[in-house]
Amino acid sequence: MLFHARGVALLLGASIAIVTTAFLSLVKGVTNTALLVAFFLSFSSAYILIYATLEFLVFREVNKIYAALNKLKKRDLSFVDKNHHRAINPIKRINQEIFDYARDKQREINDLKKMEEFRREFVANISHELKTPIFAAQGFVHTLLDGAIENKKVRYKFLKKAGKSLDGLDMLVQDLLVLSQMETGSIKMHYEHFDMRNVIHDVFEQFENDAEKKEIDLILQVDKQDHTFVYADQHRIYQVMVNLISNAIKYTKKDKEVPHPKKGKVVVFFESDEENVTIFVKDQGRGIPPEDIDRIFERFYRVEKSRSKNKGGTGLGLAIVKHIIEAHHSKVKVSSKVGEGSLFSFKLPRGNAEIARKKMRLEEPEEEI
Ligand SMILES: Nc1ncnc2c1ncn2[C@@H]1O[C@H](COP(=O)(O)OP(=O)(O)OP(=O)(O)O)[C@@H](O)[C@H]1O
Ligand SMILES: [Mg+2]
């Protein structure tokens, strides 16, 4: 009660009234009635003033601070007012400072928790991905050491399999290296003017056999008015196209449950405006479920969770794509429909055709006379 606004106001009001009346009583000729009136007047005015000041300027705000701190203990951030105005009342300002501080700290804690979870998941994923090829290679080598080396046929087969596992391991480590270098920013982009059509032709050539085996047509659709020259890091964009086109082929499968046209198609096409060229990669594959679409760019994320049916993918391809495109200050977009296919796209600044052609001419080997 004593520390309530009313209690404090009552005590201070009474003291002020007593002091005032005591001083007044020292003045000659003041009647008792005047003293009584002075007492009540000074008491009531002091009480009202002190009560109002304490209640509205101090106690209410202090109580708010307590309530906020209590909520904070329970990790409830609902008290945080996002667009409050700077108050004049200093206690109110302290209150706001506490709110801001609490909000920032809670945000930091949430971020740290997310990062911790991410780190844990990452370590688990990476150990698993490394373990698989190492175990496989180890198994083949030990079998050979245990005597299989004597058998000429088995010797070659096992060595070939061990070699393949180690190649996979090498690829994984390379991918991880690229990702970490991109994250630390130690990879510098080498911008140049070049024709995207040449890059696409090279990538198509690389996947010709894979596509043929799966009866997939690789199509580059270019209209006459399309501008295909871009200004970007050619080598990195080549990597992006390799990942997107290999995915388009890999995830187009003749599946009994999914109605597919007899022959699958992977189409690359362009859209250009005054400043940019957008590159599209479209497939008629199995598509990506909506609940996975936001996560496919995460490291190690795969729609098909079972690693046993691993077809060689580690789930790093799109993470690399995202990093490369972001390093070009752009974004990868994706739209997909399960059973119908996916469309990936990204924008690059338009390149200068003259410079690109000049460079190509310089690179061409001179004809022998
Ligand atoms: N064109 C696509 N159609 C359907 N699903 C896709 C397509 N592209 C990617 N995905 C899904 O997104 C996941 C992540 O793709 P990402 O390229 O990052 O990994 P990956 O292909 O499994 O392995 P990696 O590319 O490292 O060999 C894939 O596992 C697949 O489930
Ligand atoms: Mg991939």
Side-chain angles (χ1 to χ4, degrees):
M1 172 67 193
L2 197 65
F3 292 110
H4 247 238
R6 204 170 291 161
V8 176
L10 212 68
L11 235 117
L12 284 176
S15 327
I16 290 168
I18 289 167
V19 172
T20 321
T21 321
F23 267 108
L24 208 63
S25 66
L26 296 177
V27 182
K28 270 183 201 160
V30 180
T31 61
N32 281 346
T33 332
L35 284 176
L36 210 66
V37 171
F39 179 84
F40 278 112
L41 272 180
S42 54
F43 172 75
S44 47
S45 52
Y47 173 80
I48 291 168
L49 271 173
I50 293 168
Y51 174 71
T53 315
L54 287 180
E55 180 62 25
F56 294 108
L57 297 181
V58 182
F59 277 86
R60 197 170 278 188
E61 293 307 320
V62 171
N63 283 340
K64 269 192 203 165
I65 295 178
Y66 273 121
L69 289 174
N70 267 332
K71 282 191 173 175
L72 205 62
K73 270 190 210 157
K74 293 177 199 152
R75 300 192 191 289
D76 172 10
L77 277 190
S78 56
F79 66 88
V80 175
D81 176 12
K82 278 166 203 114
N83 35 8
H84 54 224
H85 309 288
R86 287 283 126 199
I88 305 165
N89 177 355
I91 298 182
K92 212 171 190 150
R93 281 225 304 268
I94 292 176
N95 207 350
Q96 286 174 349
E97 290 297 331
I98 291 177
F99 287 175
D100 289 347
Y101 181 77
R103 186 192 47 209
D104 292 347
K105 283 291 148 210
Q106 197 57 41
R107 246 187 233 150
E108 262 174 45
I109 292 169
N110 289 346
D111 285 351
L112 284 173
K113 273 189 181 160
K114 250 189 235 158
M115 270 160 65
E116 171 61 16
E117 183 149 337
F118 181 75
R119 190 194 63 82
R120 227 179 293 137
E121 227 174 75
F122 182 70
V123 172
N125 281 328
I126 207 168
S127 344
H128 183 94
E129 296 297 342
L130 290 173
K131 202 174 70 185
T132 320
I134 290 175
F135 269 21
Q138 197 182 26
F140 292 125
V141 172
H142 279 298
T143 322
L144 286 170
L145 287 175
D146 290 345
I149 201 154
E150 307 299 338
N151 184 332
K152 240 186 180 175
K153 249 194 207 162
V154 174
R155 180 166 65 196
Y156 180 70
K157 202 169 127 193
F158 278 23
L159 275 176
K160 209 171 150 192
K161 282 190 174 175
K164 211 173 162 193
S165 293
L166 292 176
D167 285 347
L169 189 67
D170 179 50
M171 249 164 63
L172 171 65
V173 174
Q174 294 288 349
D175 281 356
L176 282 169
L177 213 67
V178 170
L179 268 176
S180 75
Q181 283 171 337
M182 294 228 112
E183 273 175 356
T184 53
S186 58
I187 288 189
K188 292 275 164 290
M189 294 288 139
H190 298 290
Y191 284 88
E192 53 188 326
H193 300 268
F194 63 93
D195 191 347
M196 266 311 282
R197 279 178 299 185
N198 295 336
V199 174
I200 313 281
H201 279 306
D202 288 350
V203 181
F204 277 1
E205 224 171 81
Q206 192 180 330
F207 289 106
E208 217 169 36
N209 282 342
D210 294 341
E212 219 167 88
K213 266 186 227 158
K214 296 184 86 175
E215 290 187 41
I216 295 169
D217 282 335
L218 301 177
I219 300 161
L220 173 61
Q221 215 170 58
V222 191
D223 285 343
K224 270 200 191 104
Q225 73 273 16
D226 279 340
H227 291 272
T228 57
F229 288 90
V230 294
Y231 183 60
D233 183 322
Q234 185 167 356
H235 173 65
R236 300 281 162 211
I237 295 302
Y238 177 82
Q239 266 183 307
V240 167
M241 291 316 292
V242 163
N243 277 309
L244 292 182
I245 290 168
S246 77
N247 278 351
I249 297 171
K250 191 155 62 168
Y251 302 111
T252 299
K253 190 177 86 175
K254 280 189 177 157
D255 200 326
K256 280 172 221 129
E257 291 145 38
V258 183
H260 277 300
K262 248 194 157 183
K263 238 176 168 212
K265 260 198 302 190
V266 172
V267 188
V268 177
F269 58 97
F270 305 98
E271 244 175 49
S272 48
D273 58 28
E274 286 300 305
E275 288 171 8
N276 299 301
V277 177
T278 310
I279 298 104
F280 294 86
V281 179
K282 188 170 179 242
D283 66 54
Q284 298 177 323
R286 65 173 190 218
I288 304 156
E291 62 272 21
D292 292 304
I293 214 148
D294 289 334
R295 301 202 58 193
I296 54 170
F297 294 99
E298 288 175 19
R299 282 187 266 192
F300 295 115
Y301 192 83
R302 288 186 301 204
V303 173
E304 58 294 343
K305 302 288 177 298
S306 71
R307 289 170 193 281
S308 53
K309 287 185 206 150
N310 188 0
K311 286 195 234 106
T314 49
L316 288 177
L318 286 181
I320 293 175
V321 166
K322 181 176 171 248
H323 268 95
I324 295 177
I325 298 301
E326 277 176 1
H328 283 83
H329 312 291
S330 186
K331 241 183 124 180
V332 193
K333 288 187 185 158
V334 53
S335 61
S336 187
K337 219 167 176 192
V338 175
E340 286 185 19
S342 312
L343 178 69
F344 286 81
S345 66
F346 59 93
K347 226 179 233 183
L348 289 177
R350 251 172 77 165
N352 184 311
E354 266 319 298
I355 302 176
R357 286 201 189 102
K358 213 182 272 174
K359 190 175 155 275
M360 258 160 56
R361 254 177 264 135
L362 284 175
E363 278 171 5
E364 268 171 21
E366 275 181 32
E367 275 177 38
E368 280 177 35
I369 310 158

mmCIF file of all heavy atoms in Angstrom, residues 243 246-247 250 317, ligand 2:
data_model
loop_
_atom_site.group_PDB
_atom_site.id
_atom_site.type_symbol
_atom_site.label_atom_id
_atom_site.label_comp_id
_atom_site.label_asym_id
_atom_site.label_seq_id
_atom_site.Cartn_x
_atom_site.Cartn_y
_atom_site.Cartn_z
ATOM 1 N N ASN A 243 24.051 -27.355 -63.641
ATOM 2 C CA ASN A 243 23.207 -27.817 -62.536
ATOM 3 C C ASN A 243 21.729 -27.833 -62.905
ATOM 4 O O ASN A 243 21.020 -28.795 -62.618
ATOM 5 C CB ASN A 243 23.416 -26.938 -61.300
ATOM 6 C CG ASN A 243 24.635 -27.380 -60.516
ATOM 7 O OD1 ASN A 243 24.762 -28.559 -60.194
ATOM 8 N ND2 ASN A 243 25.527 -26.475 -60.228
ATOM 9 N N SER A 246 21.133 -30.496 -65.683
ATOM 10 C CA SER A 246 21.285 -31.872 -65.175
ATOM 11 C C SER A 246 20.099 -32.234 -64.279
ATOM 12 O O SER A 246 19.599 -33.352 -64.320
ATOM 13 C CB SER A 246 22.612 -32.057 -64.436
ATOM 14 O OG SER A 246 22.542 -31.499 -63.157
ATOM 15 N N ASN A 247 19.628 -31.270 -63.488
ATOM 16 C CA ASN A 247 18.425 -31.538 -62.683
ATOM 17 C C ASN A 247 17.222 -31.817 -63.572
ATOM 18 O O ASN A 247 16.455 -32.748 -63.327
ATOM 19 C CB ASN A 247 18.095 -30.325 -61.804
ATOM 20 C CG ASN A 247 18.927 -30.292 -60.545
ATOM 21 O OD1 ASN A 247 19.639 -31.246 -60.242
ATOM 22 N ND2 ASN A 247 18.855 -29.199 -59.821
ATOM 23 N N LYS A 250 17.661 -35.226 -64.821
ATOM 24 C CA LYS A 250 17.623 -36.213 -63.730
ATOM 25 C C LYS A 250 16.205 -36.405 -63.186
ATOM 26 O O LYS A 250 15.800 -37.513 -62.871
ATOM 27 C CB LYS A 250 18.556 -35.748 -62.615
ATOM 28 C CG LYS A 250 18.812 -36.791 -61.565
ATOM 29 C CD LYS A 250 20.122 -36.590 -60.830
ATOM 30 C CE LYS A 250 20.216 -35.295 -60.058
ATOM 31 N NZ LYS A 250 21.364 -35.262 -59.157
ATOM 32 N N GLY A 317 23.703 -28.905 -55.602
ATOM 33 C CA GLY A 317 23.641 -28.229 -56.903
ATOM 34 C C GLY A 317 22.918 -26.889 -56.860
ATOM 35 O O GLY A 317 23.470 -25.856 -57.263
HETATM 36 MG MG MG B 2 21.219 -31.208 -58.889
#
